[in-house]
Amino acid sequence: QAFSVFRFLTTKEKFHEILDSGGKGPNDDKASDDAGPKETAEDSLEEPQEKKCKVDPAEQERMGKQDSKRMRGQNKSRPHMKPTSYDNRRLCPSIIQERETKCVYGDKCKFIHDVAEYMALKPADVGEHCYLYDTFGKCHYGLSCRFARAHISADLKNLANEERAKAMVGRTPVRNSLDKDLQWRLRKKVVPFTASDAYMKTIFKGGHKAGEGWKKAATAENGKARRVCHFVEVSQENLARVKTIGPLTDADVIKLRQCEKKQDLIKLIHLSQCGNLPFRRICKRFGADITCGEMAMCTNLLQGQSSEWALLKRHESEDLFGVQVEGCFPDTMTRCAELLNNKIDVDFVDINSGCPIDLVYKKGGGCGLMTRTNKFEQIIRGMNSVLDVPLTVKIRTGVQEKANIAHKLIPEMKKWGVSMITLHGRSREQRYTKSADWDYINTCSQLASPIPLFGNGDILSYYDAMKARETDVSGVMLARGALIKPWVFTEIKERRDWDISSSERLDVLRDFTHYGLEHWGSDTQGLEKTRNFLLEWLSFMCRYIPVGLLERVPQKINERPPYYMGRDYLESLMASQHVGDWIKISEMLLGPVPKNFNFLPKHKANAYK
């Protein structure tokens, strides 16, 4: 166990008692009582979160009767409130965007058109400086911005910094947005999928087996290659005139992809709910080499769902970026690959065949693909036939705990045309209850050679990364470790332990909120969405134990920290595993929560006192 030194250890009761008192010791209680009660934004958080959650007693009793081990950590009765619930009376977009024409809906518009009325109803501003205005020279959220005082004149006009705005002209910080015309064509099902349809005909054409169709396709490809080789043939006489600089190598004939050139890479895998664009920007800043978007359902992408396409967005700082898709049918996955290949800017496409959740697995996707090899082969070959970028695959050791199948699948995937494999060292049944099996990952990496294989599991320090690099893996991939301490990328690159201070960690969180306001918006809806994702992240970051408090390093990812007091109040607050304390941190950065605010983390079942 990575226990803290004794003088920092405490009990659960004393820990929360000190946090609730604002970091004051027992001797300070009398002095604070004499000073009289002071109303602060944090006082609203003293109400127990159980009351805010409003869980139905009958539902709670039903949940208690079920197998607690099977249900642990799943939060199936998790309450959900949309960010729009916190801002029911919103200003009309025609006014926010300062359109010259009036609102097309007229009196039927559900939004407010009276600016004075809106300003009277609008929640108080959070701060005096608007990150969007300071960065881009103009805040496109205008009057609805929760930092509007920084760029609104006395006559309620949205100001602009012309010099800064001019410097941003022609720059596109975020790419891969869904075009409205493409969305309409996807919904009307008029987007052509020529290459995908041609491939699907080769699978079962005239009653032939899929293998025969692939054999014909391979023969055609070989013929095409022969024609290319014949085209570049030159006579001996002309060859003598060509100046050469040395012998011909594979690198001269085969254009190496960037992912094949770079070695010792650190990859950030998709993180459901937390691996959003603002968080990936934080990880890139700390040294992540490769980033991957959150898992997107291929059927939702083909239907033109805006929320699903938002998972494909790429920031300009992500120099090596891929998207991850999930599906269980060759036709939809191949069409999705063709769509992504033609419409977005991406360096690789990843198939998620390691997702363990029931919603995906029971329909045959995620881990289910590992046991449906015929479908898996059809999907990989089909996507490869329509993609111009590398196709990668993420898998687990298997489905059952003591029945590994990855070593049987990897040699087959090499034949199917996979460019890279990522292996998570646990089975679906294990989830996170056991340590990752790096000996098995090493065995699989040898089987995968010469295809690069990335190992994943339990990387939380540079010690863990160095131990992983002793195997034959081509790189390591981080997921939970990056959520607990995103500066782990810097630790790995510089081969050191970073005793990061609480103020430095708060600065990291502040940068995340800035990126979140840029990505989701600086109005109430965007601000509360940023807060929601910040709280999800804090449900992981609270597991971090500062290096300066440890008896020994490194902290292991599966070790749960004891109750301890930090070196200052903020460090103690960040160590709390209570949702109310995470909300206090969010209020330091994003202002007070709305009166009807409600939050329960996705990955944390015991976040209440």
Side-chain angles (χ1 to χ4, degrees):
Q1 293 290 322
F3 290 123
S4 308
V5 293
F6 289 113
R7 68 190 181 93
F8 291 104
L9 289 175
T10 185
T11 63
K12 179 179 180 180
E13 292 73 20
K14 289 183 179 179
F15 177 80
H16 288 294
E17 181 182 350
I18 294 176
L19 285 187
D20 291 341
S21 64
K24 299 176 183 177
N27 297 330
D28 299 330
D29 291 342
K30 189 176 184 303
S32 61
D33 291 339
D34 295 339
K38 295 183 179 180
E39 187 78 6
T40 63
E42 296 180 355
D43 291 339
S44 60
L45 301 174
E46 297 303 321
E47 180 185 354
Q49 285 289 315
E50 290 86 351
K51 292 183 179 180
K52 294 184 180 181
C53 192
K54 296 180 180 179
V55 178
D56 184 12
E59 177 71 9
Q60 197 171 14
E61 183 180 357
R62 183 186 67 82
M63 295 288 288
K65 291 180 180 179
Q66 297 188 18
D67 183 5
S68 59
K69 184 175 181 181
R70 183 173 60 86
M71 296 296 295
R72 186 186 301 158
Q74 294 188 21
N75 282 340
K76 288 183 177 280
S77 60
R78 180 176 186 237
H80 176 67
M81 290 188 70
K82 294 184 178 180
T84 51
S85 306
Y86 305 121
D87 191 15
N88 295 325
R89 299 289 290 166
R90 289 183 285 168
L91 192 63
C92 181
S94 64
I95 299 176
I96 296 174
Q97 299 169 8
E98 300 175 313
R99 299 176 190 167
E100 295 181 359
T101 57
K102 293 184 178 181
C103 177
V104 295
Y105 296 100
D107 296 335
K108 295 182 180 180
C109 182
K110 62 180 180 180
F111 299 111
I112 299 176
H113 290 81
D114 188 338
V115 174
E117 179 187 355
Y118 172 76
M119 295 303 289
L121 296 171
K122 179 188 173 186
D125 281 357
V126 174
E128 298 182 354
H129 299 281
C130 176
Y131 176 77
L132 302 186
Y133 177 75
D134 294 339
T135 305
F136 301 102
K138 184 175 182 179
C139 177
H140 295 285
Y141 294 89
L143 294 169
S144 65
C145 177
R146 292 295 299 276
F147 306 84
R149 72 179 74 168
H151 50 78
I152 296 297
S153 63
D155 56 347
L156 300 180
K157 297 294 182 181
N158 194 22
L159 302 176
N161 185 327
E162 299 296 340
E163 183 178 350
R164 189 163 294 155
K166 190 176 181 180
M168 295 298 298
V169 173
R171 180 180 161 190
T172 309
V174 178
R175 289 166 278 175
N176 299 347
S177 297
L178 177 60
D179 180 72
K180 289 296 181 183
D181 178 63
L182 175 61
Q183 184 181 41
W184 180 87
R185 290 188 292 121
L186 285 172
R187 289 177 176 178
K188 295 297 181 182
K189 298 183 179 179
V190 294
V191 175
F193 294 100
T194 309
S196 301
D197 294 341
Y199 166 75
M200 292 307 298
K201 289 178 182 178
T202 66
I203 296 183
F204 295 106
K205 185 177 180 181
H208 294 294
K209 293 182 179 180
E212 297 178 5
W214 289 329
K215 195 177 293 183
K216 292 179 181 178
T219 304
E221 285 296 320
N222 291 335
K224 182 179 178 182
R226 282 196 295 270
R227 288 195 297 274
V228 172
C229 292
H230 179 72
F231 179 77
V232 298
E233 283 181 0
V234 293
S235 65
Q236 292 294 328
E237 182 181 0
N238 291 333
L239 186 61
R241 299 175 186 173
V242 178
K243 293 182 179 181
T244 61
I245 58 174
L248 191 69
T249 64
D250 288 344
D252 298 314
V253 179
I254 305 169
K255 184 180 180 182
L256 295 181
R257 296 164 178 149
Q258 190 173 4
C259 63
E260 294 169 334
K261 290 179 180 178
K262 298 179 80 172
Q263 294 296 324
D264 200 18
L265 296 176
I266 308 173
K267 180 181 179 184
L268 174 70
I269 190 54
H270 91 285
L271 295 156
S272 178
Q273 193 75 13
C274 295
N276 44 67
L277 185 144
F279 178 74
R280 297 199 305 269
R281 289 180 65 180
I282 294 290
C283 292
K284 282 299 296 183
R285 210 181 69 190
F286 280 119
D289 293 313
I290 308 172
T291 53
C292 187
E294 298 177 76
M295 182 182 71
M297 304 288 186
C298 69
T299 50
N300 295 344
L301 294 174
L302 291 172
Q303 292 169 3
Q305 290 188 13
S306 301
S307 58
E308 210 72 18
W309 275 80
L311 304 178
L312 309 179
K313 288 186 177 181
R314 171 184 189 168
H315 191 260
E316 61 183 358
S317 63
E318 299 181 272
D319 51 350
L320 194 52
F321 171 74
V323 296
Q324 188 175 74
V325 292
E326 181 279 326
C328 51
F329 299 106
D331 55 344
T332 54
M333 287 289 278
T334 305
R335 287 176 179 173
C336 181
E338 184 177 1
L339 180 66
L340 299 178
N341 189 70
N342 297 333
K343 300 300 180 182
I344 68 170
D345 177 22
V346 69
D347 296 310
F348 65 92
V349 175
D350 188 66
I351 302 174
N352 188 331
S353 51
C355 183
I357 63 174
D358 293 342
L359 178 68
V360 174
Y361 175 75
K362 287 184 177 179
K363 69 176 185 179
C367 283
L369 280 178
M370 296 183 66
T371 59
R372 303 168 69 230
T373 52
N374 288 337
K375 290 290 183 187
F376 202 3
E377 181 180 3
Q378 292 171 6
I379 288 172
I380 291 176
R381 290 186 183 273
M383 294 180 72
N384 246 333
S385 67
V386 299
L387 282 173
D388 296 326
V389 295
L391 178 67
T392 66
V393 176
K394 179 180 183 289
I395 59 175
R396 285 177 175 261
T397 59
V399 177
Q400 282 77 30
E401 182 175 353
K402 297 182 180 179
N404 294 337
I405 59 174
H407 64 283
K408 299 177 182 178
L409 200 58
I410 286 173
E412 297 299 318
M413 288 195 290
K414 290 168 61 177
K415 301 176 185 177
W416 301 341
V418 170
S419 296
M420 192 192 79
I421 300 169
T422 302
L423 177 60
H424 181 71
R426 296 183 183 87
S427 65
R428 177 181 182 266
E429 282 187 352
Q430 284 177 303
R431 299 299 283 266
Y432 296 114
T433 58
K434 299 288 191 300
S435 298
D437 190 348
W438 276 91
D439 291 333
Y440 183 70
I441 292 175
N442 185 40
T443 301
C444 290
S445 65
Q446 295 170 356
L447 291 173
S449 180
I451 293 176
L453 183 141
F454 276 49
N456 169 232
D458 300 343
I459 305 289
L460 187 61
S461 67
Y462 88 90
Y463 300 100
D464 298 327
M466 290 303 103
K467 189 175 181 180
R469 290 296 292 140
E470 292 175 2
T471 66
D472 291 327
V473 296
S474 301
V476 294
M477 184 183 68
L478 279 70
R480 285 185 305 158
L483 287 172
I484 295 172
K485 44 184 281 191
W487 52 91
V488 66
F489 297 104
T490 301
E491 290 186 340
I492 294 173
K493 290 289 181 69
E494 299 180 1
R495 300 191 177 192
R496 67 182 177 95
D497 292 309
W498 184 356
D499 188 11
I500 189 169
S501 66
S502 58
S503 59
E504 288 175 311
R505 291 163 66 188
L506 187 65
D507 288 339
V508 173
L509 296 175
R510 182 177 288 106
D511 289 338
F512 174 83
T513 59
H514 289 162
Y515 299 157
L517 295 172
E518 179 183 338
H519 187 58
W520 292 300
S522 59
D523 57 351
T524 299
Q525 181 177 344
L527 185 142
E528 293 307 325
K529 195 165 187 178
T530 300
R531 189 195 305 273
N532 186 79
F533 284 108
L534 174 65
L535 293 172
E536 291 284 1
W537 183 16
L538 288 172
S539 70
F540 282 92
M541 190 182 276
C542 66
R543 302 179 189 178
Y544 170 70
I545 306 176
V547 172
L549 306 187
L550 292 175
E551 288 185 340
R552 63 164 176 82
V553 291
Q555 175 189 354
K556 295 298 182 182
I557 200 167
N558 287 332
E559 293 176 345
R560 288 294 177 264
Y563 285 95
Y564 67 91
M565 298 307 302
R567 290 163 290 190
D568 53 53
Y569 174 71
L570 181 58
E571 194 167 74
S572 300
L573 193 65
M574 289 180 171
S576 174
Q577 300 195 17
H578 179 224
V579 67
D581 295 321
W582 305 338
I583 293 175
K584 290 181 183 179
I585 297 174
S586 78
E587 290 191 319
M588 296 177 185
L589 304 168
L590 297 170
V593 296
K595 292 182 179 179
N596 56 340
F597 182 80
N598 199 347
F599 175 78
L600 178 63
K602 179 180 180 182
H603 302 279
K604 198 82 173 170
N606 58 342
Y608 297 99
K609 292 181 183 177

